Amino acid sequence: MADAAVTASPGAGVAGRGRFAARAARAVWPVLMVVGVTVGLWYAACLPMNVKESLNQAERAGAVIVPEGGQARRDASPWGLMAQNPAHLGGVWSQDRPRLPAPHQVAVELYETTVGMALAGRAFSNRSLFTHAWVTLSATLLGFGIGTALGILLAVGIVHNRAMDMSVMPWAIASQTIPILALAPMIVVVLNSVGISGLLPKALISAYLSFFPVVVGMVKGLRSPEAAQLDLLWTYNATPAQTLWKLRLPASMPYLFASLKVGVAASLVGAIVGELPTGAVAGLGARLLAGSYYGQTVQIWSALFAAAILAALLVGLIGLLQRVVLGRMGMGR
Amino acid sequence: MMPQAAAALTEGAALPAGTGAVIAARGLDLTFRTADGPVQALSDVSLEIGRGEFVSFIGPSGCGKTTFLRVVAGLEHPTGGAIAVNGMTPDAARQARAYGYVFQAAGLYPWRTIAGNVKLPLEIMGFSKAEQESRVRKVLSLVELDGFAGKYPWQLSGGMQQRASIARALSFDAGILLMDEPFGALDEIVRDRLNEELMRLWAATGKTVGFVTHSIPEAVYLSTKIVVMSPRPGRIIDVIESDLPAERPLDIRDTPEFLALAHRVRVGLRAGHAYD
């Protein structure tokens, strides 16, 4: 660091840029390292997971496998099979329907169902992950909006009303102890029976998961102003509404953004779970379900990765918004 | 009981009720209930503050000086005795926006500019937009922050932030200014300068000021009346009328009159400690 600054002495700007690059480089290596190790372990894990099917195929193709015959190998240990047939293991990374797909298989599937289809002019066909991701994303965003609004309203109520303060939080906590997987089908069925279907049931499940972090964070945030700050507004004879708008809400922004990051990830989970019991034909959840019906593990894994990438994008987007808003509010430092 | 303390108490009790007094307290008691049992923050406090006076409250921690100021502001409610602010109860006075309050921490909102912070009470009190603008400009120039209206609090030094907080308290032009150790967190040099400015401000506006401080020189330099208090229970042990001239340059602090007053305050504070 010191060396970089000295060698780049002609201008402070250059030194600054050099330092930034050095820091970025130092940040990149550990990340690459972790990714590399993970991918390596993943490839290695494909060996014991896929060895039996791979050997069966090799045998069908005419290779000599020890012990002979699929029946004989059924209950054998994968480690023993790997040791006995070292020459015939290549197939574990190229199965059509592997127990564990190899990373490159998932990557290829992801590419083909996104960029590949987009290049072919079918970005929003039924097989495109863009279509499915958008279906899930729309439910996620709607649910996230409802959940956030509900969470903020409840927090405002809790902070201003003693009865709500005493009663709402236990219910909110209890609501989160019910497994969403058990609740989701009931929400879908009940709403369906009153004629509400499509986006809204999924969004409500999403909202059910995302309101909670917002309530918890916002109660803390709305109560974050110091006593002296509240005293000052009291001396101005400010109404509770004025105190809320001018002090409590702005002061709660850092807490809100922290909650939103948790909430948006929970929303995505809610939307995906909401797609499972409906027999939905579209959405990342539907894709997961269809994949598991037909043993399409590559499809399951690529849908999982699509969901993870979507979640990372959403959280990253909120992080960006947080930086901009808090920076403008002078609370970013 | 020390003779001075006795004198202060009788003098306080003998004062006539609210004739021209802006703040009149009579036999105030205030007991806080805490986990360790009741704490008597104020005991039989009687005091009158006339219009345009600058009254300092000095004493060790726990002597009730801040509590008294908070009672005046309606932030605490006495458990005994009577108090009138502008002839009203403190709560009515608060609702009539009779005073501006300055806390030890400037407490500016980081998300508002300096002008925005000064505007805060004006917005709450419903002044018109044009009125808000003109008042902000006026008080900012009063505390010599003219060029800083558009700056954010973090761009200002601690002393400037406290000046902005004083401007905020002055913006709605209340007759009374209550200040709770406003310069307590600042260094000596900044504090001297702000003391000088506060003197000028007081002369220019004619406000009645209640000023809580730990510093003897600050109390003597600023005040027309110094109230010496003592803890456990919080009470007044001496009320000193200052005979210093209204015009006070900083070097007045080296004159024998100033030193005599400071000495009397120190003796009072020591007498208070003798009760421990």
Side-chain angles (χ1 to χ4, degrees), chain A residues 137-162:
Chain A
L137 182 64
S138 55
T140 301
L141 292 180
L142 181 60
F144 179 58
I146 296 172
T148 302
L150 180 67
I152 293 175
L153 282 178
L154 282 176
V156 168
I158 286 171
V159 168
H160 285 88
N161 182 294
R162 211 182 124 68

Side-chain angles (χ1 to χ4, degrees), chain A residues 19 42 71 85 90 97-98 113 118-119 122 130 148 159 171 179 185 208 214 242 252 273 279-280 286 288 291 300 332:
Chain A
R19 211 170 298 159
W42 185 351
Q71 282 295 352
N85 304 285
R97 287 155 73 170
T113 50
L119 289 180
R122 303 198 296 140
F130 285 132
T148 302
V159 168
W171 284 102
Y208 185 89
V214 176
Q242 286 172 326
S252 71
V273 170
L288 285 174
I300 297 179

Side-chain angles (χ1 to χ4, degrees), chain A residues 137 141 144 257 260-261 264-265 309-325:
Chain A
L137 182 64
L141 292 180
F144 179 58
F257 280 108
L260 290 185
K261 283 187 190 168
V264 79
I309 292 166
L310 198 56
L313 284 178
L314 289 172
V315 172
L317 210 62
I318 289 181
L320 199 70
L321 196 66
Q322 173 180 31
R323 262 232 293 255
V324 172
V325 171

Side-chain angles (χ1 to χ4, degrees), chain A residues 231 234 237 242 246 250 329, chain B residues 70 75 94 110-111 123-124:
Chain A
D231 282 350
W234 177 251
N237 200 27
Q242 286 172 326
K246 298 201 185 292
M329 288 176 72
Chain B
R70 290 175 65 86
L75 288 165
R94 176 177 65 83
W111 57 87
E123 287 172 9
I124 287 172

Side-chain angles (χ1 to χ4, degrees), chain B residues 178-258:
Chain B
L178 301 174
M179 309 178 86
D180 186 1
E181 292 189 51
F183 309 140
L186 304 174
D187 67 63
E188 193 87 20
I189 298 158
V190 176
R191 182 187 270 236
D192 275 354
R193 191 165 136 55
L194 288 183
N195 279 341
E196 229 180 339
E197 253 182 49
L198 184 57
M199 274 277 79
R200 188 179 48 72
L201 212 69
W202 174 63
T205 58
K207 305 256 183 235
T208 309
V209 184
F211 188 92
V212 165
T213 179
H214 272 121
S215 156
I216 297 175
E218 188 171 72
V220 176
Y221 174 71
L222 290 171
S223 314
T224 58
K225 186 190 271 181
I226 304 159
V227 178
V228 183
M229 299 182 74
S230 157
R232 286 176 296 276
R235 64 206 183 280
I236 296 176
I237 52 175
D238 198 3
V239 176
I240 303 167
E241 298 282 347
S242 170
D243 45 12
L244 294 177
E247 191 68 35
R248 299 179 189 181
L250 270 180
D251 49 20
I252 200 173
R253 294 180 301 184
D254 299 322
T255 62
E257 294 82 4
F258 186 96

Side-chain angles (χ1 to χ4, degrees), chain A residues 134-246:
Chain A
W134 168 247
V135 167
T136 304
L137 182 64
S138 55
T140 301
L141 292 180
L142 181 60
F144 179 58
I146 296 172
T148 302
L150 180 67
I152 293 175
L153 282 178
L154 282 176
V156 168
I158 286 171
V159 168
H160 285 88
N161 182 294
R162 211 182 124 68
M164 279 188 78
D165 186 17
M166 307 296 279
S167 61
V168 170
M169 203 48 111
W171 284 102
I173 292 168
S175 77
Q176 301 302 300
T177 63
I178 302 168
I180 189 66
L181 218 51
L183 201 63
M186 290 196 281
I187 295 177
V188 172
V189 168
V190 166
L191 287 180
N192 243 323
S193 72
V194 294
I196 299 171
S197 60
L199 193 62
L200 199 58
K202 287 197 287 177
L204 286 180
I205 294 164
S206 205
Y208 185 89
L209 288 188
S210 63
F211 89 96
F212 184 66
V214 176
V215 176
V216 174
M218 281 304 278
V219 167
K220 186 118 180 84
L222 292 173
R223 286 190 173 142
S224 67
E226 291 166 25
Q229 293 280 18
L230 295 169
D231 282 350
L232 185 67
L233 288 181
W234 177 251
T235 69
Y236 299 153
N237 200 27
T239 63
Q242 286 172 326
T243 306
L244 178 68
W245 284 111
K246 298 201 185 292

